[in-house]
Amino acid sequence: MNRKATLLAVLIFGLNAYICANLFGLEFSSQMASIEGSYMTISRWAMDNWHDLTWFPLWFDGQPFLGVYQPGFHLTVAALATLTRMSVEHAYHLIAALAYCAVPVSLFAACFGFTRRLDFAFFSALIYSILSTILFLSPLERLAIHGWLLPKHYQDVVYYGEGPHTAALAMIPLVVLAIHKAVRLRRRGYLILAPLAVAALMLTNWPGTTGLTMALVAYCLAQLRPGRRHYVLLVAAIGLAAWLLVSPWILPSTILRAFANAQQ
């Protein structure tokens, strides 16, 4: 990015940091409906059992650790808490806050990377920061957050505890941009980075992986024109390489459960 683009990205990050400022130092919240307590438990178990993460006894009377949830976010929280000696609760909320701020910044970076238009990228990120499209479609969602201009994304993090999903949302625009550069520009660095980026997202959150799949399907459909159809094969090759990278870390039962939840 050039200097002006960097400044605008910092402004977007700052706006979202202001919105979620209390999360950066939060230990426990008063949101008893949030699932974040379960996520913190997974991270605390990992933190206390780095020597053996094969079995997690606290989930459904015990099951393999890798079958509980995608390990990326939780192991990151555990690693931060271990290295800095902060509490797991603080580490969780700190990473969730950074992920929350990173979502519109990554959207800005992707929009600018695709269009090279700062105005388009900035206003896209700004609108995302203060509005959610679901508010235009669902009166119940507007009622839940008591207005139009309150950030629904913040409610998702605080009320529902969607830290891992927010982290995945922050990754999606950058992953798509990396794939685009690998496919269109054939840069060796991006050819290596793209499968790693896809694998990292897959290890973070299944709904986010579904969102990435939808984005890549749209990207492939946009390439169905003369001279570009082979791009679809390259995208598929990147996806296969990513799957080979993550397969040792994701149990088949986890995939089946995620698919079953998606059908409900």
Short mmCIF file of all heavy atoms in Angstrom, two decimals, residues 24-55:
data_model
loop_
_atom_site.label_atom_id
_atom_site.label_comp_id
_atom_site.label_asym_id
_atom_site.label_seq_id
_atom_site.Cartn_x
_atom_site.Cartn_y
_atom_site.Cartn_z
N PHE A 24 -10.38 -4.79 24.68
CA PHE A 24 -8.93 -4.95 24.71
C PHE A 24 -8.41 -5.33 26.10
O PHE A 24 -7.39 -6.00 26.21
CB PHE A 24 -8.25 -3.66 24.23
CG PHE A 24 -8.32 -3.47 22.74
CD1 PHE A 24 -9.32 -2.71 22.17
CD2 PHE A 24 -7.39 -4.07 21.91
CE1 PHE A 24 -9.39 -2.53 20.80
CE2 PHE A 24 -7.44 -3.91 20.54
CZ PHE A 24 -8.46 -3.14 19.98
N GLY A 25 -9.09 -4.89 27.14
CA GLY A 25 -8.62 -5.22 28.49
C GLY A 25 -9.62 -6.04 29.29
O GLY A 25 -9.44 -6.21 30.50
N LEU A 26 -10.65 -6.57 28.60
CA LEU A 26 -11.72 -7.26 29.30
C LEU A 26 -11.29 -8.65 29.77
O LEU A 26 -10.59 -9.36 29.07
CB LEU A 26 -12.93 -7.39 28.36
CG LEU A 26 -14.20 -7.99 28.95
CD1 LEU A 26 -14.76 -7.11 30.04
CD2 LEU A 26 -15.24 -8.20 27.84
N GLU A 27 -11.70 -9.00 30.97
CA GLU A 27 -11.52 -10.35 31.49
C GLU A 27 -12.81 -11.15 31.27
O GLU A 27 -12.88 -12.02 30.42
CB GLU A 27 -11.15 -10.31 32.97
CG GLU A 27 -9.80 -9.68 33.26
CD GLU A 27 -8.66 -10.66 33.03
OE1 GLU A 27 -8.91 -11.88 33.06
OE2 GLU A 27 -7.52 -10.21 32.85
N PHE A 28 -13.83 -10.84 32.07
CA PHE A 28 -15.13 -11.49 31.93
C PHE A 28 -16.18 -10.45 31.57
O PHE A 28 -16.10 -9.30 32.00
CB PHE A 28 -15.54 -12.18 33.24
CG PHE A 28 -14.68 -13.35 33.60
CD1 PHE A 28 -13.64 -13.20 34.51
CD2 PHE A 28 -14.90 -14.60 33.04
CE1 PHE A 28 -12.84 -14.28 34.85
CE2 PHE A 28 -14.10 -15.69 33.38
CZ PHE A 28 -13.07 -15.52 34.29
N SER A 29 -17.16 -10.87 30.77
CA SER A 29 -18.27 -9.99 30.43
C SER A 29 -19.52 -10.46 31.18
O SER A 29 -19.53 -11.53 31.80
CB SER A 29 -18.53 -10.00 28.92
OG SER A 29 -19.15 -11.21 28.52
N SER A 30 -20.58 -9.68 31.09
CA SER A 30 -21.84 -10.02 31.75
C SER A 30 -22.78 -10.77 30.83
O SER A 30 -23.93 -11.03 31.20
CB SER A 30 -22.52 -8.73 32.25
OG SER A 30 -22.80 -7.87 31.16
N GLN A 31 -22.31 -11.14 29.63
CA GLN A 31 -23.16 -11.79 28.65
C GLN A 31 -23.19 -13.30 28.88
O GLN A 31 -22.36 -14.04 28.37
CB GLN A 31 -22.67 -11.47 27.23
CG GLN A 31 -22.58 -10.00 26.93
CD GLN A 31 -23.92 -9.30 27.05
OE1 GLN A 31 -24.96 -9.87 26.72
NE2 GLN A 31 -23.91 -8.06 27.50
N MET A 32 -24.16 -13.74 29.66
CA MET A 32 -24.22 -15.14 30.03
C MET A 32 -24.64 -16.04 28.87
O MET A 32 -24.44 -17.26 28.91
CB MET A 32 -25.19 -15.33 31.20
CG MET A 32 -24.79 -14.56 32.45
SD MET A 32 -23.13 -15.01 33.03
CE MET A 32 -23.39 -16.71 33.52
N ALA A 33 -25.22 -15.47 27.81
CA ALA A 33 -25.61 -16.28 26.66
C ALA A 33 -24.45 -16.54 25.71
O ALA A 33 -24.57 -17.35 24.79
CB ALA A 33 -26.76 -15.59 25.90
N SER A 34 -23.34 -15.86 25.92
CA SER A 34 -22.19 -16.00 25.03
C SER A 34 -21.54 -17.37 25.17
O SER A 34 -21.46 -17.93 26.27
CB SER A 34 -21.16 -14.90 25.34
OG SER A 34 -19.97 -15.12 24.62
N ILE A 35 -21.03 -17.87 24.04
CA ILE A 35 -20.34 -19.16 24.05
C ILE A 35 -18.86 -19.01 24.34
O ILE A 35 -18.11 -19.99 24.40
CB ILE A 35 -20.55 -19.87 22.70
CG1 ILE A 35 -20.20 -21.37 22.81
CG2 ILE A 35 -19.73 -19.19 21.60
CD1 ILE A 35 -20.47 -22.16 21.56
N GLU A 36 -18.40 -17.77 24.56
CA GLU A 36 -16.97 -17.55 24.71
C GLU A 36 -16.39 -18.28 25.92
O GLU A 36 -15.19 -18.61 25.93
CB GLU A 36 -16.67 -16.05 24.81
CG GLU A 36 -17.23 -15.37 26.04
CD GLU A 36 -16.95 -13.87 26.05
OE1 GLU A 36 -16.70 -13.31 24.97
OE2 GLU A 36 -17.00 -13.26 27.13
N GLY A 37 -17.21 -18.56 26.93
CA GLY A 37 -16.71 -19.32 28.07
C GLY A 37 -16.22 -20.70 27.66
O GLY A 37 -15.20 -21.19 28.16
N SER A 38 -16.94 -21.34 26.74
CA SER A 38 -16.51 -22.64 26.23
C SER A 38 -15.20 -22.52 25.47
O SER A 38 -14.30 -23.37 25.60
CB SER A 38 -17.59 -23.23 25.32
OG SER A 38 -18.79 -23.45 26.04
N TYR A 39 -15.09 -21.48 24.65
CA TYR A 39 -13.86 -21.27 23.90
C TYR A 39 -12.67 -21.03 24.83
O TYR A 39 -11.57 -21.54 24.60
CB TYR A 39 -14.01 -20.08 22.96
CG TYR A 39 -15.04 -20.28 21.86
CD1 TYR A 39 -15.67 -19.19 21.27
CD2 TYR A 39 -15.36 -21.55 21.42
CE1 TYR A 39 -16.61 -19.37 20.26
CE2 TYR A 39 -16.29 -21.74 20.41
CZ TYR A 39 -16.91 -20.65 19.84
OH TYR A 39 -17.83 -20.83 18.83
N MET A 40 -12.90 -20.25 25.89
CA MET A 40 -11.82 -20.01 26.85
C MET A 40 -11.40 -21.29 27.54
O MET A 40 -10.20 -21.50 27.82
CB MET A 40 -12.28 -18.98 27.89
CG MET A 40 -12.53 -17.60 27.35
SD MET A 40 -13.26 -16.53 28.61
CE MET A 40 -13.62 -15.06 27.64
N THR A 41 -12.37 -22.15 27.81
CA THR A 41 -12.06 -23.44 28.45
C THR A 41 -11.15 -24.28 27.56
O THR A 41 -10.21 -24.92 28.04
CB THR A 41 -13.35 -24.19 28.77
OG1 THR A 41 -14.15 -23.41 29.66
CG2 THR A 41 -13.05 -25.53 29.42
N ILE A 42 -11.45 -24.29 26.25
CA ILE A 42 -10.60 -25.04 25.32
C ILE A 42 -9.18 -24.49 25.35
O ILE A 42 -8.19 -25.25 25.39
CB ILE A 42 -11.19 -24.98 23.90
CG1 ILE A 42 -12.55 -25.65 23.85
CG2 ILE A 42 -10.24 -25.64 22.90
CD1 ILE A 42 -13.28 -25.47 22.53
N SER A 43 -9.05 -23.17 25.34
CA SER A 43 -7.72 -22.55 25.35
C SER A 43 -7.00 -22.82 26.66
O SER A 43 -5.79 -23.08 26.67
CB SER A 43 -7.84 -21.04 25.13
OG SER A 43 -8.36 -20.76 23.85
N ARG A 44 -7.73 -22.75 27.78
CA ARG A 44 -7.09 -23.02 29.08
C ARG A 44 -6.61 -24.47 29.15
O ARG A 44 -5.52 -24.73 29.66
CB ARG A 44 -8.06 -22.72 30.22
CG ARG A 44 -7.46 -23.01 31.60
CD ARG A 44 -8.40 -22.62 32.71
NE ARG A 44 -8.56 -21.18 32.77
CZ ARG A 44 -7.68 -20.35 33.33
NH1 ARG A 44 -6.58 -20.84 33.86
NH2 ARG A 44 -7.90 -19.07 33.36
N TRP A 45 -7.41 -25.38 28.63
CA TRP A 45 -6.99 -26.79 28.64
C TRP A 45 -5.72 -26.95 27.81
O TRP A 45 -4.80 -27.66 28.21
CB TRP A 45 -8.11 -27.67 28.10
CG TRP A 45 -7.70 -29.11 28.00
CD1 TRP A 45 -7.26 -29.78 26.90
CD2 TRP A 45 -7.64 -30.04 29.07
NE1 TRP A 45 -6.96 -31.07 27.20
CE2 TRP A 45 -7.18 -31.27 28.53
CE3 TRP A 45 -7.95 -29.98 30.43
CZ2 TRP A 45 -7.02 -32.40 29.32
CZ3 TRP A 45 -7.79 -31.11 31.21
CH2 TRP A 45 -7.34 -32.30 30.66
N ALA A 46 -5.68 -26.33 26.66
CA ALA A 46 -4.47 -26.41 25.82
C ALA A 46 -3.28 -25.80 26.54
O ALA A 46 -2.17 -26.34 26.49
CB ALA A 46 -4.71 -25.70 24.49
N MET A 47 -3.50 -24.68 27.20
CA MET A 47 -2.43 -24.00 27.91
C MET A 47 -1.85 -24.89 29.02
O MET A 47 -0.64 -24.91 29.26
CB MET A 47 -2.97 -22.70 28.50
CG MET A 47 -1.95 -21.86 29.23
SD MET A 47 -2.74 -20.34 29.84
CE MET A 47 -1.38 -19.65 30.81
N ASP A 48 -2.71 -25.63 29.68
CA ASP A 48 -2.28 -26.47 30.80
C ASP A 48 -1.82 -27.87 30.37
O ASP A 48 -1.30 -28.63 31.20
CB ASP A 48 -3.42 -26.63 31.82
CG ASP A 48 -3.78 -25.32 32.50
OD1 ASP A 48 -2.92 -24.42 32.50
OD2 ASP A 48 -4.91 -25.19 33.00
N ASN A 49 -2.02 -28.20 29.09
CA ASN A 49 -1.72 -29.56 28.63
C ASN A 49 -1.00 -29.57 27.29
O ASN A 49 -1.32 -30.38 26.41
CB ASN A 49 -3.01 -30.38 28.55
CG ASN A 49 -3.67 -30.59 29.88
OD1 ASN A 49 -3.36 -31.52 30.62
ND2 ASN A 49 -4.61 -29.72 30.20
N TRP A 50 -0.03 -28.65 27.13
CA TRP A 50 0.72 -28.63 25.86
C TRP A 50 1.38 -29.97 25.58
O TRP A 50 1.58 -30.34 24.41
CB TRP A 50 1.79 -27.55 25.91
CG TRP A 50 1.30 -26.14 25.83
CD1 TRP A 50 1.42 -25.17 26.79
CD2 TRP A 50 0.64 -25.50 24.72
NE1 TRP A 50 0.87 -23.99 26.36
CE2 TRP A 50 0.39 -24.16 25.09
CE3 TRP A 50 0.24 -25.94 23.46
CZ2 TRP A 50 -0.25 -23.25 24.23
CZ3 TRP A 50 -0.40 -25.05 22.62
CH2 TRP A 50 -0.63 -23.73 23.00
N HIS A 51 1.70 -30.71 26.63
CA HIS A 51 2.42 -31.97 26.45
C HIS A 51 1.53 -33.07 25.86
O HIS A 51 2.03 -34.08 25.34
CB HIS A 51 2.99 -32.45 27.79
CG HIS A 51 1.92 -32.72 28.83
ND1 HIS A 51 1.25 -31.71 29.47
CD2 HIS A 51 1.41 -33.89 29.30
CE1 HIS A 51 0.38 -32.24 30.32
NE2 HIS A 51 0.46 -33.56 30.23
N ASP A 52 0.20 -32.90 25.96
CA ASP A 52 -0.70 -33.95 25.46
C ASP A 52 -2.05 -33.33 25.11
O ASP A 52 -2.90 -33.12 25.98
CB ASP A 52 -0.88 -35.05 26.51
CG ASP A 52 -1.72 -36.22 25.98
OD1 ASP A 52 -2.01 -36.23 24.77
OD2 ASP A 52 -2.08 -37.09 26.80
N LEU A 53 -2.26 -33.07 23.84
CA LEU A 53 -3.52 -32.49 23.38
C LEU A 53 -4.33 -33.51 22.56
O LEU A 53 -5.08 -33.14 21.67
CB LEU A 53 -3.25 -31.25 22.52
CG LEU A 53 -2.63 -30.06 23.25
CD1 LEU A 53 -2.37 -28.91 22.28
CD2 LEU A 53 -3.52 -29.59 24.40
N THR A 54 -4.16 -34.76 22.90
CA THR A 54 -4.87 -35.79 22.13
C THR A 54 -6.31 -35.95 22.57
O THR A 54 -7.17 -36.29 21.75
CB THR A 54 -4.15 -37.14 22.27
OG1 THR A 54 -4.04 -37.47 23.67
CG2 THR A 54 -2.76 -37.06 21.66
N TRP A 55 -6.60 -35.71 23.85
CA TRP A 55 -7.93 -35.99 24.38
C TRP A 55 -8.42 -34.80 25.19
O TRP A 55 -7.69 -34.23 25.99
CB TRP A 55 -7.90 -37.24 25.25
CG TRP A 55 -9.26 -37.75 25.66
CD1 TRP A 55 -9.85 -37.60 26.88
CD2 TRP A 55 -10.20 -38.45 24.85
NE1 TRP A 55 -11.09 -38.18 26.89
CE2 TRP A 55 -11.34 -38.71 25.64
CE3 TRP A 55 -10.20 -38.89 23.53
CZ2 TRP A 55 -12.46 -39.40 25.17
CZ3 TRP A 55 -11.31 -39.57 23.05
CH2 TRP A 55 -12.42 -39.82 23.86
#
